[in-house]
Amino acid sequence: MKEVYLVAIARASAIPEDTLRAAFESEEMAYTPAPDGQGFSLEAEGSRVEVVFESRPTPTEWTHDLFSGSDTALESLSHARAFYRFAFETGGAQPTVPVFVALMCARIVLTHADGVLVDITSSKVHDSEDVAEITELDFDIRDHVNLHAVEVIEGETPLWVHSHGMEKFGARDLEIFHLGEQDLLPAEAFLHELCTDLAFGQGPPLRTEMGTSEGQGFMLVPSEEARANLLGVPLEAFEGHEGLFLTVVSPLGRHNTAELLRPFRERFAQEPAERIEAMRQDTQALVPAFKARLLRRGLMEPLTFLVRSPFETHPEGSTVTEQLWMEVLSWDEGVVVGRLVDGAVHTTEWRKGAHVEVPEADLNALALSREGRTLEEDEVRALLIAERPM
């Protein structure tokens, strides 16, 4: 078993056994207390999680710069007086299952003690609200891995970008070399896609040319092979990263991968403000008919209503407005309530699957889909014309 998570709590004593037993049994999880009374094991979904309680304060060497997380979460960690240590067998046919079971276990513990969750593999710290969202909403690999960019050579492409956190899925972390500053966001998007595939046990075969979601070719090669062709990078650059990685290279096995990331740059291009405003005005003209059609749809009607609206994200302290789509669930008094069908690309502040509320005046695009097929613009307009008053 591998120790993956810690739940750091403010109290020095363990949560009473009868409290935990009742909580886990209500979630249909098999709870077994440890013989020495210092922990328990949990079985659910075919996975087993071993939990050990340890009463001790946060180690003094755990400074804030070692972890990523909100200021309040990091502050809570620094004042923790005891820990629950979570271990489980990683990997398997569906690697996300034991991770999800452990997270559900941590979530229940955090409902009975103030504290935070520490992901040892990625050095992330999550507060209890964050843990609840991770277990409730659609899977987002950014909740489980950290990406680091390290300057290892000189020149225009000095960066080595690599992940931390894939161990919890029984997989190697990923790395890619010879990137420039302009490649960072595209590299994040590409590596997150690849990490997601690996987390679900669907990663590409090694040493085999594959295509990205944008159609560009690449290969994954074990780092002990790929780094042999890496010129100019001193060995001391890898100190503290002695573990084995999977290296992204070109189909010819080379480290010139910048072209691979070119299509991903479009995801981070800012849409012109003038175009957004023009779209908003066109959309607002259609909103009354769109709303009327939504409110009279039948219970079994295979029609999905989608709208787009601006959402603020805050990557590294800056403010970026992203245009996100949501499925409309209800509409009342000028406020649209919906579920995000795509998450923010810069941060996890707005996760896919989250329920949100936006003023209808902010809508700048709308769409309809029937049985999984998005209707063309002329089809949407023809459908909505029927909603106009005579």
Side-chain angles (χ1 to χ4, degrees), residues 176-292:
I176 187 169
F177 291 92
H178 291 316
L179 300 182
E181 290 288 339
Q182 73 280 3
D183 298 315
L184 283 179
L185 289 177
E188 285 186 10
F190 167 61
L191 291 178
H192 283 146
E193 284 188 2
L194 201 49
C195 284
T196 300
D197 289 342
L198 290 168
F200 281 93
Q202 300 170 355
L206 300 182
R207 309 176 189 90
T208 304
E209 182 176 353
M210 302 293 292
T212 71
S213 62
E214 303 291 342
Q216 304 296 101
F218 74 97
M219 285 198 309
L220 283 184
V221 178
S223 58
E224 58 269 33
E225 297 177 24
R227 290 181 183 178
N229 299 323
L230 189 62
L231 301 178
V233 178
L235 292 178
E236 54 267 26
F238 302 116
E239 291 181 2
H241 297 82
E242 288 80 8
L244 299 178
F245 289 74
L246 292 178
T247 310
V248 178
V249 295
S250 75
L252 297 177
R254 299 171 181 168
H255 292 279
N256 54 338
T257 53
E259 183 64 19
L260 164 72
L261 304 174
R262 181 182 51 78
F264 289 88
R265 296 191 184 108
E266 298 176 3
R267 302 185 185 183
F268 300 93
Q270 286 293 311
E271 200 171 352
E274 298 79 7
R275 182 171 184 270
I276 294 175
E277 177 56 25
M279 291 177 63
R280 192 191 71 81
Q281 292 181 17
D282 289 345
T283 298
Q284 291 299 313
L286 294 173
V287 160
F290 186 83
K291 179 179 179 181

Side-chain angles (χ1 to χ4, degrees), residues 4-231:
V4 174
Y5 295 115
L6 304 174
V7 169
I9 59 175
R11 57 187 287 171
S13 59
I15 302 169
E17 181 187 318
D18 56 346
T19 300
L20 288 176
R21 182 186 297 275
F24 287 119
E25 288 181 350
S26 68
E27 295 288 339
E28 299 182 351
M29 296 179 170
Y31 170 87
T32 304
D36 61 2
Q38 294 301 300
F40 57 90
S41 64
L42 192 73
E43 293 187 48
E45 304 293 334
S47 297
R48 180 182 180 88
V49 179
E50 297 282 352
V51 183
V52 176
F53 176 77
E54 181 181 32
S55 180
R56 67 165 179 144
T58 300
T60 55
E61 63 270 21
W62 285 12
T63 55
H64 284 198
D65 60 308
L66 296 177
F67 302 93
S68 65
S70 67
D71 291 340
T72 54
L74 295 173
E75 190 65 22
S76 295
L77 174 61
S78 67
H79 294 123
R81 300 174 63 194
F83 295 87
Y84 283 95
R85 313 179 76 92
F86 291 66
F88 52 86
E89 294 289 346
T90 62
Q94 181 46 272
T96 59
V97 171
V99 172
F100 178 78
V101 171
L103 288 170
M104 282 298 298
C105 180
R107 176 180 175 177
I108 291 171
V109 169
L110 288 170
T111 62
H112 297 283
D114 292 334
V116 292
L117 174 73
V118 181
D119 183 338
I120 301 171
T121 65
S122 66
S123 298
K124 284 180 174 284
V125 181
H126 302 279
D127 59 29
S128 57
E129 182 178 344
D130 206 23
V131 176
E133 286 191 349
I134 293 171
T135 54
E136 288 178 358
L137 301 180
D138 291 8
F139 182 88
D140 190 328
I141 194 65
R142 294 175 295 180
D143 294 320
H144 306 280
V145 301
N146 254 326
L147 294 184
H148 289 163
V150 181
E151 189 171 313
V152 292
I153 60 173
E154 296 181 352
E156 296 182 357
T157 57
L159 299 176
W160 165 42
V161 178
H162 59 277
S163 68
H164 290 286
M166 292 303 295
E167 292 176 77
K168 71 172 71 68
F169 301 108
R172 291 189 181 194
D173 278 297
L174 298 175
E175 65 179 5
I176 187 169
F177 291 92
H178 291 316
L179 300 182
E181 290 288 339
Q182 73 280 3
D183 298 315
L184 283 179
L185 289 177
E188 285 186 10
F190 167 61
L191 291 178
H192 283 146
E193 284 188 2
L194 201 49
C195 284
T196 300
D197 289 342
L198 290 168
F200 281 93
Q202 300 170 355
L206 300 182
R207 309 176 189 90
T208 304
E209 182 176 353
M210 302 293 292
T212 71
S213 62
E214 303 291 342
Q216 304 296 101
F218 74 97
M219 285 198 309
L220 283 184
V221 178
S223 58
E224 58 269 33
E225 297 177 24
R227 290 181 183 178
N229 299 323
L230 189 62
L231 301 178

